[in-house]
Amino acid sequence: MGTTATHCAYCALQCAMTLTADAGGRVTVEPRDFPTNRGGLCQKGWTAADLLASPHRLTTPLLRDDRSAPFREASWDEALTVVASSLREVQAEYGRDAVAVLGGGGLTNEKAYQLGKFARVALRTKNIDYNGRYCMSSAAAASNRAFGIDRGLPFPLPDLAEAGAVLIAGGNVAETMPPFVQHLAAVVDRGGSLIVADPRRTATVDRATLHLPVLPGTDLALALGLLHVAVSGGHADRAYIHDRTTGFDETWRAAAQWWPERVERVTGVSVAAQRAAVAQLAAGARGRGAVVLTARGAEQQSKGTDTVTALINLALALGLPGRPHSGFGCITGQGNGQGGREHGQKADQLPGYRRIDDPAARAHVAAVWGVEPADLPGPGPSAYELIESLGTDGGPRALLVHGTNLAVSSPRGARVLERLAALDLLVVADVVLSETAALADVVLPVTQFAEEDGTMTNLEGRVIRRRRAVAPPSGVRTELEVLTSLAGLLGCRAPFDADPETVFDELRRASAGGVADYGGISWDRVDAEGGVFWPCPSSSHPGTPRLFADGFPTADGRARFVAVEHRPPAEEVDAEHPVYLTTGRVLQQYQSGAQTRLVPALAAAAAEPHVEVHPDLAGRSGLADGDLVRVVSRRGDAVGRVRLTTAIRPDTVFMPFHWGGEQAVNRVTNPALDPVSRMPEFKVCAVRLERVVVVS
Amino acid sequence: MTQVVVVGHGMAGARFVQELRARDLSRRFEVTVLGAEPEAAYNRVLLSSVLAGALTPAEIETVPSAWYAAEDVELRTGVEVGRIDRRRRRVLTTAGEYVGYDHLVLATGSRPWVPPIDGLVGDDGELDRDVVVFRTLADCRAMLARLGRVRYAVVLGGGLLGLEAARGLAGRGVDVEVVHPADRLMERQLDLDAGRVLARTLRGLGVRVRLNAQAVRFTDGWGGGGRGVRLDDGTRLPADLVVVACGVRPNSGLAAAAGLEVERAVVVDDSMTSVTDPAIHAIGECAQYDGQVYGLVAPAWEQAAVLADVLAGGSARYGGSAIVTRLKAADVDLAAMGETDVDDFGADDGLEVLRFADPARGTYQKVVIRDDRVTGAIMLGGPETVGTVTQLFDRAAPVPADRRALIFPGVVDAGGAVDPADLPDEHTVCRCNGVTAGRVRAACEAGADTVAGVAATTRATTGCGGCRSGVAALLSATRPTVEVPA
């Protein structure tokens, strides 16, 4: 088949790569130069094609009549008929909302759009949400309320390299998206500053000029303190605040209560380090530019939205958003975490980042879909709340899962398994038999990145092309085909199409006039221009690489300071659970690990979860390097292997979340939700450590 | 409706009202605040920043007047209370008005103590026009208003507030001398050596310090019509301005006159309630709990939250506060906490004292440890580990096995720099692609003679590129005959 230019299967950096398929269908990967990855690939990228021919690959639908029985292989006709008839039965008995849908931030724009439409038009259920709720929702909520728009980065990634100072609050790109580090290294190499707030001395911190070793769950206090220092140190940009923002006075009044000495006591970050961080940012702002970035560390908390808001407030006070090589940004995680949240798989949204409770938005999208606005359901619950309601009285009885492995990725995992078991019908579309798929009644094998066409919107807001390099195995279908077939079997009269470019063109019309306006973006343009940045309202519009130069998309054109107050984590340590747990990622695994754990090179490099423990804590807990340790919270436990390191605070342990079963740290984590974004508190809870005695 | 009357609109009183309303969504309480100062509530902690010029008075306001309206709290500023009528549960303002209460919250704070030194107070009982205290925003304004005319200032008292005032004035170009009767600055928080290092640091910032000295008179008749302070040893110091910072006295006169138990301040139990009258409460600097009167904001806020919870029917109780004193003075980084004036020479078991002193660079660090817990510390001029030590003290958490980590950040982790060529085979050189030194060596031995050649077989350097120099060094070492471009 020759060579195909496409992008990586995994994270939101969407590294460009060239796939070459030989006559036998074996596919090899070469990195390709692109502004985001600059020719770099991490180990996940290099091995991205290794799953295509994996023996673990699902190549035929699986079915069972009883969850205690093993799966049997089935034809597509049979599988889809079972699904459609079961859905109809459930809806006939319990109503339309008795069917729920969970999507994912790894789905292409076309699939995400189609899934939202399928839920609203074919199923007519309000119950749809997606795993981006666990990923981008806090940053999205904070950005929307400050800027009137939610695009991860407001500028192309190479702008970052031009900045004089960068602050990353709770992000570890050296582990999660290594080629990103090139842009940060460029800042440092030119004498600029890289400041990283993290409870751990991560690989990213190792590249930084300043580390702020924050106590888990206190990032918000730190952000308030940095704003305090910025203002009292005379670094506030008064002209910018006056001309381009509202709400500063009230915001300052809140931050005024967080003088640096008080913040030091709460966060453990020294006054000197707070002052140095602000001095470095301010120097950057006066020079080449300064950027404030957040990632999951700051966001995955029960106060994530307010934490991001406090960091936006800092950026606004320094006058950064809309200035060259400056601003606030959020580092998107999943491959299509950006596009996936724009086109209608979110509980409260319709395509184009339209609100589902906005009558004008409903009318516009209903017209594109050829239905009555009144027939569209209203907003549904968020992902974790939806999961909590599965199989309960009045809750959904059937669930369709696309592109997420909630059995591993949801907090309080034991409860999630209990809810899934209570369903009448669980249907999972996936590439491999993930932990969630293994629990299903029906499993539908779908295509991988190299087997499909479509678009992704990367962490910059740049719409890029995913291209098919090889044909999928026979027996594997695309999700667009699956949804189109199901819509037909369900008797849906609105048109569904399985051709991705046709779906994209419909998405364009549906998004036109919305905040995330793709109206002027065509596949041809994406191909010809190497990607197009939204918003792009017309075919003659060049796209929008940089936001906010002339104003903010708020009612008055100004950015909004929003006053926020620190509050402690939902769960504090106590005598019974005396250690903080924070969770995250390792380089060789992606998300729930369903795919990467099956890539031999990655599995060899990171075969099982480790638990980072400071030697002091290990000594007190009777743990040695390499021991198995059980991490126990009020909700459950998980087992990992002790890795001694002084790179973590002695009061905190870290465990990555990519594994299932007893190794799933999300059995331990706390589902305390952010009141605005409904983000669970993955980043901090209280645990105790128990050495696992292995009887040989 | 339950009537709550708060006397005092400072850090404790204003905070209490906010804490109460946050727990009183159904508005069961009718709240009246009587504040003697005419100002809106402001943050006293930040007065030193105002004096230093970093913040304006408007910027340290804590609660906007709009908040009181929105929360339906009656705020009356410039109103003093003259008497408590416990029998009828009402207070009498000095304007002659009665205000009834079900719960009375005393948050009256404290007042500066002015020592009996000739010339500080005039015949009218008021401070001399060139004498100020440093307590209120009005005091701060008074000092700011004089700045242009003040060349010499004498600060009486080398405690926390005196030093913050002195540093602020010196930063404004005033010639400042601190006169302190004890043998060291901040003697309640520091040991002798720390006091000496601090004095040295302050001298470098333009603040002279005179210890074991007592002012006896503030007089005119200095040469050229100036004024000055005479000390007990006869020394005469020129002074256009005298700042009195000799400590504070709790404002507990109201309570004492009403027959409540008062020692140094109003005696309260763990619900911040007077031990004499269950309808009367005290928080902040006018309250005495378990023998302690706290003069800092953190305990006042903790007490405010406890009392709000108690009145709202909650179960919170106050158990005392760990005190961390932090000097807020530009270019001086000083934290002190717990027991500091102890040594462990021949001491009892379990007591350890760590010390590091570098007086020439303004550093004096001392950490007192008992049974693996930090029970006291002085951290002067070594700012990096203050956050760590403070949290260990606050949380009574076990100290690091390697005690050096408490004073020298990073020293525990600092390995010697290893020449990449000497890395063991199993060491990961390229994190992005998990390539070890051994694999790079093997690639070189198999014929790779450029970094790109190593990358072609191992993928090292193809992620973030950060290991390029390490790979080049390994290549040079493995194949010395190959010239590796830098």
Side-chain angles (χ1 to χ4, degrees), chain B residues 59-85:
Chain B
E59 284 173 332
I60 67 166
E61 189 180 288
T62 51
V63 191
S65 46
W67 183 86
Y68 293 92
E71 294 289 329
D72 200 18
V73 171
E74 188 184 357
L75 170 64
R76 298 165 65 185
T77 53
V79 175
E80 268 188 82
V81 172
R83 195 163 73 79
I84 302 169
D85 178 353

PDB file of all heavy atoms in Angstrom, chain B residues 59-85:
ATOM      1  N   GLU B  59      -6.127  48.313  48.966  1.00  0.00           N
ATOM      2  CA  GLU B  59      -5.877  46.927  48.532  1.00  0.00           C
ATOM      3  C   GLU B  59      -5.862  45.924  49.680  1.00  0.00           C
ATOM      4  O   GLU B  59      -5.810  44.720  49.437  1.00  0.00           O
ATOM      5  CB  GLU B  59      -4.548  46.838  47.771  1.00  0.00           C
ATOM      6  CG  GLU B  59      -4.663  47.398  46.367  1.00  0.00           C
ATOM      7  CD  GLU B  59      -3.327  47.490  45.653  1.00  0.00           C
ATOM      8  OE1 GLU B  59      -2.284  47.644  46.323  1.00  0.00           O
ATOM      9  OE2 GLU B  59      -3.328  47.424  44.419  1.00  0.00           O
ATOM     10  N   ILE B  60      -5.889  46.388  50.917  1.00  0.00           N
ATOM     11  CA  ILE B  60      -5.892  45.424  52.012  1.00  0.00           C
ATOM     12  C   ILE B  60      -7.263  45.311  52.671  1.00  0.00           C
ATOM     13  O   ILE B  60      -7.414  44.679  53.711  1.00  0.00           O
ATOM     14  CB  ILE B  60      -4.794  45.726  53.060  1.00  0.00           C
ATOM     15  CG1 ILE B  60      -5.090  47.022  53.798  1.00  0.00           C
ATOM     16  CG2 ILE B  60      -3.421  45.774  52.399  1.00  0.00           C
ATOM     17  CD1 ILE B  60      -4.223  47.168  55.054  1.00  0.00           C
ATOM     18  N   GLU B  61      -8.265  45.919  52.060  1.00  0.00           N
ATOM     19  CA  GLU B  61      -9.639  45.745  52.542  1.00  0.00           C
ATOM     20  C   GLU B  61     -10.020  44.271  52.390  1.00  0.00           C
ATOM     21  O   GLU B  61      -9.753  43.661  51.360  1.00  0.00           O
ATOM     22  CB  GLU B  61     -10.543  46.625  51.678  1.00  0.00           C
ATOM     23  CG  GLU B  61     -11.952  46.750  52.147  1.00  0.00           C
ATOM     24  CD  GLU B  61     -12.735  47.657  51.202  1.00  0.00           C
ATOM     25  OE1 GLU B  61     -12.514  48.876  51.215  1.00  0.00           O
ATOM     26  OE2 GLU B  61     -13.557  47.116  50.440  1.00  0.00           O
ATOM     27  N   THR B  62     -10.641  43.699  53.415  1.00  0.00           N
ATOM     28  CA  THR B  62     -10.946  42.259  53.320  1.00  0.00           C
ATOM     29  C   THR B  62     -12.379  41.977  52.905  1.00  0.00           C
ATOM     30  O   THR B  62     -12.640  41.061  52.146  1.00  0.00           O
ATOM     31  CB  THR B  62     -10.717  41.550  54.671  1.00  0.00           C
ATOM     32  OG1 THR B  62     -11.413  42.279  55.673  1.00  0.00           O
ATOM     33  CG2 THR B  62      -9.260  41.475  55.008  1.00  0.00           C
ATOM     34  N   VAL B  63     -13.322  42.744  53.420  1.00  0.00           N
ATOM     35  CA  VAL B  63     -14.724  42.475  53.125  1.00  0.00           C
ATOM     36  C   VAL B  63     -15.341  43.764  52.580  1.00  0.00           C
ATOM     37  O   VAL B  63     -15.336  44.781  53.260  1.00  0.00           O
ATOM     38  CB  VAL B  63     -15.492  42.044  54.394  1.00  0.00           C
ATOM     39  CG1 VAL B  63     -16.863  41.510  54.022  1.00  0.00           C
ATOM     40  CG2 VAL B  63     -14.710  41.005  55.168  1.00  0.00           C
ATOM     41  N   PRO B  64     -15.852  43.739  51.375  1.00  0.00           N
ATOM     42  CA  PRO B  64     -16.438  44.964  50.836  1.00  0.00           C
ATOM     43  C   PRO B  64     -17.764  45.279  51.533  1.00  0.00           C
ATOM     44  O   PRO B  64     -18.455  44.369  51.998  1.00  0.00           O
ATOM     45  CB  PRO B  64     -16.655  44.624  49.360  1.00  0.00           C
ATOM     46  CG  PRO B  64     -16.797  43.154  49.328  1.00  0.00           C
ATOM     47  CD  PRO B  64     -15.969  42.610  50.457  1.00  0.00           C
ATOM     48  N   SER B  65     -18.101  46.537  51.599  1.00  0.00           N
ATOM     49  CA  SER B  65     -19.346  46.899  52.283  1.00  0.00           C
ATOM     50  C   SER B  65     -20.541  46.247  51.587  1.00  0.00           C
ATOM     51  O   SER B  65     -21.539  45.923  52.214  1.00  0.00           O
ATOM     52  CB  SER B  65     -19.496  48.417  52.335  1.00  0.00           C
ATOM     53  OG  SER B  65     -19.207  48.971  51.078  1.00  0.00           O
ATOM     54  N   ALA B  66     -20.393  46.004  50.286  1.00  0.00           N
ATOM     55  CA  ALA B  66     -21.503  45.362  49.555  1.00  0.00           C
ATOM     56  C   ALA B  66     -21.795  43.965  50.110  1.00  0.00           C
ATOM     57  O   ALA B  66     -22.933  43.496  50.064  1.00  0.00           O
ATOM     58  CB  ALA B  66     -21.156  45.264  48.074  1.00  0.00           C
ATOM     59  N   TRP B  67     -20.763  43.317  50.640  1.00  0.00           N
ATOM     60  CA  TRP B  67     -20.972  41.973  51.167  1.00  0.00           C
ATOM     61  C   TRP B  67     -21.960  42.014  52.327  1.00  0.00           C
ATOM     62  O   TRP B  67     -22.853  41.166  52.426  1.00  0.00           O
ATOM     63  CB  TRP B  67     -19.638  41.368  51.626  1.00  0.00           C
ATOM     64  CG  TRP B  67     -19.772  39.948  52.113  1.00  0.00           C
ATOM     65  CD1 TRP B  67     -19.743  38.819  51.357  1.00  0.00           C
ATOM     66  CD2 TRP B  67     -20.011  39.518  53.462  1.00  0.00           C
ATOM     67  NE1 TRP B  67     -19.929  37.714  52.140  1.00  0.00           N
ATOM     68  CE2 TRP B  67     -20.089  38.109  53.439  1.00  0.00           C
ATOM     69  CE3 TRP B  67     -20.151  40.176  54.679  1.00  0.00           C
ATOM     70  CZ2 TRP B  67     -20.307  37.348  54.583  1.00  0.00           C
ATOM     71  CZ3 TRP B  67     -20.367  39.428  55.828  1.00  0.00           C
ATOM     72  CH2 TRP B  67     -20.446  38.019  55.785  1.00  0.00           C
ATOM     73  N   TYR B  68     -21.796  43.007  53.199  1.00  0.00           N
ATOM     74  CA  TYR B  68     -22.675  43.084  54.373  1.00  0.00           C
ATOM     75  C   TYR B  68     -24.119  43.281  53.944  1.00  0.00           C
ATOM     76  O   TYR B  68     -25.039  42.684  54.498  1.00  0.00           O
ATOM     77  CB  TYR B  68     -22.225  44.219  55.304  1.00  0.00           C
ATOM     78  CG  TYR B  68     -20.884  43.942  55.926  1.00  0.00           C
ATOM     79  CD1 TYR B  68     -19.711  44.380  55.315  1.00  0.00           C
ATOM     80  CD2 TYR B  68     -20.788  43.205  57.094  1.00  0.00           C
ATOM     81  CE1 TYR B  68     -18.478  44.106  55.872  1.00  0.00           C
ATOM     82  CE2 TYR B  68     -19.556  42.921  57.669  1.00  0.00           C
ATOM     83  CZ  TYR B  68     -18.402  43.371  57.050  1.00  0.00           C
ATOM     84  OH  TYR B  68     -17.193  43.080  57.598  1.00  0.00           O
ATOM     85  N   ALA B  69     -24.300  44.132  52.932  1.00  0.00           N
ATOM     86  CA  ALA B  69     -25.661  44.369  52.436  1.00  0.00           C
ATOM     87  C   ALA B  69     -26.221  43.075  51.849  1.00  0.00           C
ATOM     88  O   ALA B  69     -27.339  42.665  52.173  1.00  0.00           O
ATOM     89  CB  ALA B  69     -25.636  45.479  51.395  1.00  0.00           C
ATOM     90  N   ALA B  70     -25.399  42.415  51.027  1.00  0.00           N
ATOM     91  CA  ALA B  70     -25.877  41.205  50.361  1.00  0.00           C
ATOM     92  C   ALA B  70     -26.168  40.106  51.375  1.00  0.00           C
ATOM     93  O   ALA B  70     -27.083  39.306  51.197  1.00  0.00           O
ATOM     94  CB  ALA B  70     -24.839  40.729  49.347  1.00  0.00           C
ATOM     95  N   GLU B  71     -25.386  40.068  52.448  1.00  0.00           N
ATOM     96  CA  GLU B  71     -25.555  39.006  53.445  1.00  0.00           C
ATOM     97  C   GLU B  71     -26.458  39.455  54.587  1.00  0.00           C
ATOM     98  O   GLU B  71     -26.596  38.738  55.584  1.00  0.00           O
ATOM     99  CB  GLU B  71     -24.184  38.584  53.990  1.00  0.00           C
ATOM    100  CG  GLU B  71     -23.289  37.914  52.953  1.00  0.00           C
ATOM    101  CD  GLU B  71     -23.775  36.518  52.574  1.00  0.00           C
ATOM    102  OE1 GLU B  71     -24.376  35.841  53.416  1.00  0.00           O
ATOM    103  OE2 GLU B  71     -23.561  36.124  51.408  1.00  0.00           O
ATOM    104  N   ASP B  72     -27.003  40.642  54.464  1.00  0.00           N
ATOM    105  CA  ASP B  72     -27.937  41.128  55.467  1.00  0.00           C
ATOM    106  C   ASP B  72     -27.296  41.165  56.861  1.00  0.00           C
ATOM    107  O   ASP B  72     -27.884  40.733  57.850  1.00  0.00           O
ATOM    108  CB  ASP B  72     -29.185  40.222  55.473  1.00  0.00           C
ATOM    109  CG  ASP B  72     -30.370  40.924  56.126  1.00  0.00           C
ATOM    110  OD1 ASP B  72     -30.320  42.164  56.233  1.00  0.00           O
ATOM    111  OD2 ASP B  72     -31.311  40.220  56.537  1.00  0.00           O
ATOM    112  N   VAL B  73     -26.100  41.687  56.903  1.00  0.00           N
ATOM    113  CA  VAL B  73     -25.403  41.878  58.176  1.00  0.00           C
ATOM    114  C   VAL B  73     -25.342  43.377  58.448  1.00  0.00           C
ATOM    115  O   VAL B  73     -24.956  44.156  57.574  1.00  0.00           O
ATOM    116  CB  VAL B  73     -23.964  41.305  58.106  1.00  0.00           C
ATOM    117  CG1 VAL B  73     -23.162  41.705  59.347  1.00  0.00           C
ATOM    118  CG2 VAL B  73     -24.002  39.796  57.961  1.00  0.00           C
ATOM    119  N   GLU B  74     -25.758  43.766  59.642  1.00  0.00           N
ATOM    120  CA  GLU B  74     -25.715  45.191  59.960  1.00  0.00           C
ATOM    121  C   GLU B  74     -24.330  45.550  60.460  1.00  0.00           C
ATOM    122  O   GLU B  74     -23.887  45.075  61.508  1.00  0.00           O
ATOM    123  CB  GLU B  74     -26.770  45.545  61.018  1.00  0.00           C
ATOM    124  CG  GLU B  74     -26.864  47.044  61.209  1.00  0.00           C
ATOM    125  CD  GLU B  74     -27.835  47.447  62.315  1.00  0.00           C
ATOM    126  OE1 GLU B  74     -28.484  46.542  62.890  1.00  0.00           O
ATOM    127  OE2 GLU B  74     -27.913  48.650  62.606  1.00  0.00           O
ATOM    128  N   LEU B  75     -23.640  46.362  59.702  1.00  0.00           N
ATOM    129  CA  LEU B  75     -22.291  46.776  60.078  1.00  0.00           C
ATOM    130  C   LEU B  75     -22.317  48.230  60.514  1.00  0.00           C
ATOM    131  O   LEU B  75     -22.779  49.100  59.775  1.00  0.00           O
ATOM    132  CB  LEU B  75     -21.340  46.629  58.887  1.00  0.00           C
ATOM    133  CG  LEU B  75     -19.950  47.253  59.070  1.00  0.00           C
ATOM    134  CD1 LEU B  75     -19.179  46.553  60.185  1.00  0.00           C
ATOM    135  CD2 LEU B  75     -19.164  47.210  57.768  1.00  0.00           C
ATOM    136  N   ARG B  76     -21.861  48.469  61.729  1.00  0.00           N
ATOM    137  CA  ARG B  76     -21.807  49.849  62.207  1.00  0.00           C
ATOM    138  C   ARG B  76     -20.373  50.150  62.627  1.00  0.00           C
ATOM    139  O   ARG B  76     -19.897  49.641  63.635  1.00  0.00           O
ATOM    140  CB  ARG B  76     -22.796  50.033  63.361  1.00  0.00           C
ATOM    141  CG  ARG B  76     -24.228  49.773  62.862  1.00  0.00           C
ATOM    142  CD  ARG B  76     -25.199  49.580  63.982  1.00  0.00           C
ATOM    143  NE  ARG B  76     -25.346  50.807  64.766  1.00  0.00           N
ATOM    144  CZ  ARG B  76     -26.066  50.878  65.876  1.00  0.00           C
ATOM    145  NH1 ARG B  76     -26.689  49.813  66.343  1.00  0.00           N
ATOM    146  NH2 ARG B  76     -26.149  52.009  66.523  1.00  0.00           N
ATOM    147  N   THR B  77     -19.720  50.945  61.810  1.00  0.00           N
ATOM    148  CA  THR B  77     -18.323  51.281  62.117  1.00  0.00           C
ATOM    149  C   THR B  77     -18.279  52.607  62.869  1.00  0.00           C
ATOM    150  O   THR B  77     -19.224  53.401  62.832  1.00  0.00           O
ATOM    151  CB  THR B  77     -17.491  51.392  60.825  1.00  0.00           C
ATOM    152  OG1 THR B  77     -18.140  52.291  59.936  1.00  0.00           O
ATOM    153  CG2 THR B  77     -17.346  50.039  60.166  1.00  0.00           C
ATOM    154  N   GLY B  78     -17.164  52.817  63.555  1.00  0.00           N
ATOM    155  CA  GLY B  78     -17.021  54.024  64.362  1.00  0.00           C
ATOM    156  C   GLY B  78     -17.894  53.995  65.609  1.00  0.00           C
ATOM    157  O   GLY B  78     -18.207  55.025  66.189  1.00  0.00           O
ATOM    158  N   VAL B  79     -18.309  52.801  65.993  1.00  0.00           N
ATOM    159  CA  VAL B  79     -19.178  52.659  67.172  1.00  0.00           C
ATOM    160  C   VAL B  79     -18.427  51.874  68.250  1.00  0.00           C
ATOM    161  O   VAL B  79     -18.043  50.727  68.033  1.00  0.00           O
ATOM    162  CB  VAL B  79     -20.489  51.924  66.805  1.00  0.00           C
ATOM    163  CG1 VAL B  79     -21.314  51.668  68.068  1.00  0.00           C
ATOM    164  CG2 VAL B  79     -21.277  52.734  65.790  1.00  0.00           C
ATOM    165  N   GLU B  80     -18.240  52.471  69.394  1.00  0.00           N
ATOM    166  CA  GLU B  80     -17.574  51.786  70.498  1.00  0.00           C
ATOM    167  C   GLU B  80     -18.588  51.308  71.515  1.00  0.00           C
ATOM    168  O   GLU B  80     -19.628  51.942  71.715  1.00  0.00           O
ATOM    169  CB  GLU B  80     -16.599  52.744  71.191  1.00  0.00           C
ATOM    170  CG  GLU B  80     -15.193  52.666  70.637  1.00  0.00           C
ATOM    171  CD  GLU B  80     -14.240  53.480  71.477  1.00  0.00           C
ATOM    172  OE1 GLU B  80     -13.791  52.963  72.508  1.00  0.00           O
ATOM    173  OE2 GLU B  80     -13.973  54.636  71.085  1.00  0.00           O
ATOM    174  N   VAL B  81     -18.257  50.207  72.149  1.00  0.00           N
ATOM    175  CA  VAL B  81     -19.136  49.695  73.201  1.00  0.00           C
ATOM    176  C   VAL B  81     -18.558  50.097  74.549  1.00  0.00           C
ATOM    177  O   VAL B  81     -17.365  49.916  74.807  1.00  0.00           O
ATOM    178  CB  VAL B  81     -19.270  48.163  73.100  1.00  0.00           C
ATOM    179  CG1 VAL B  81     -20.011  47.603  74.311  1.00  0.00           C
ATOM    180  CG2 VAL B  81     -19.981  47.796  71.807  1.00  0.00           C
ATOM    181  N   GLY B  82     -19.409  50.630  75.386  1.00  0.00           N
ATOM    182  CA  GLY B  82     -18.942  51.116  76.689  1.00  0.00           C
ATOM    183  C   GLY B  82     -19.212  50.136  77.819  1.00  0.00           C
ATOM    184  O   GLY B  82     -18.527  50.145  78.846  1.00  0.00           O
ATOM    185  N   ARG B  83     -20.236  49.290  77.645  1.00  0.00           N
ATOM    186  CA  ARG B  83     -20.627  48.466  78.771  1.00  0.00           C
ATOM    187  C   ARG B  83     -21.420  47.258  78.277  1.00  0.00           C
ATOM    188  O   ARG B  83     -22.122  47.327  77.255  1.00  0.00           O
ATOM    189  CB  ARG B  83     -21.536  49.304  79.694  1.00  0.00           C
ATOM    190  CG  ARG B  83     -21.747  48.711  81.084  1.00  0.00           C
ATOM    191  CD  ARG B  83     -22.284  49.779  82.032  1.00  0.00           C
ATOM    192  NE  ARG B  83     -23.689  50.129  81.768  1.00  0.00           N
ATOM    193  CZ  ARG B  83     -24.731  49.377  82.172  1.00  0.00           C
ATOM    194  NH1 ARG B  83     -24.529  48.251  82.820  1.00  0.00           N
ATOM    195  NH2 ARG B  83     -25.968  49.765  81.920  1.00  0.00           N
ATOM    196  N   ILE B  84     -21.274  46.157  79.000  1.00  0.00           N
ATOM    197  CA  ILE B  84     -22.104  44.978  78.720  1.00  0.00           C
ATOM    198  C   ILE B  84     -23.088  44.823  79.865  1.00  0.00           C
ATOM    199  O   ILE B  84     -22.695  44.803  81.044  1.00  0.00           O
ATOM    200  CB  ILE B  84     -21.247  43.693  78.632  1.00  0.00           C
ATOM    201  CG1 ILE B  84     -20.158  43.835  77.549  1.00  0.00           C
ATOM    202  CG2 ILE B  84     -22.127  42.474  78.355  1.00  0.00           C
ATOM    203  CD1 ILE B  84     -19.121  42.723  77.599  1.00  0.00           C
ATOM    204  N   ASP B  85     -24.355  44.726  79.530  1.00  0.00           N
ATOM    205  CA  ASP B  85     -25.402  44.502  80.535  1.00  0.00           C
ATOM    206  C   ASP B  85     -25.802  43.037  80.424  1.00  0.00           C
ATOM    207  O   ASP B  85     -26.659  42.669  79.616  1.00  0.00           O
ATOM    208  CB  ASP B  85     -26.583  45.443  80.220  1.00  0.00           C
ATOM    209  CG  ASP B  85     -27.731  45.235  81.201  1.00  0.00           C
ATOM    210  OD1 ASP B  85     -27.668  44.288  82.030  1.00  0.00           O
ATOM    211  OD2 ASP B  85     -28.698  46.018  81.118  1.00  0.00           O
TER     212      ASP B  85
END
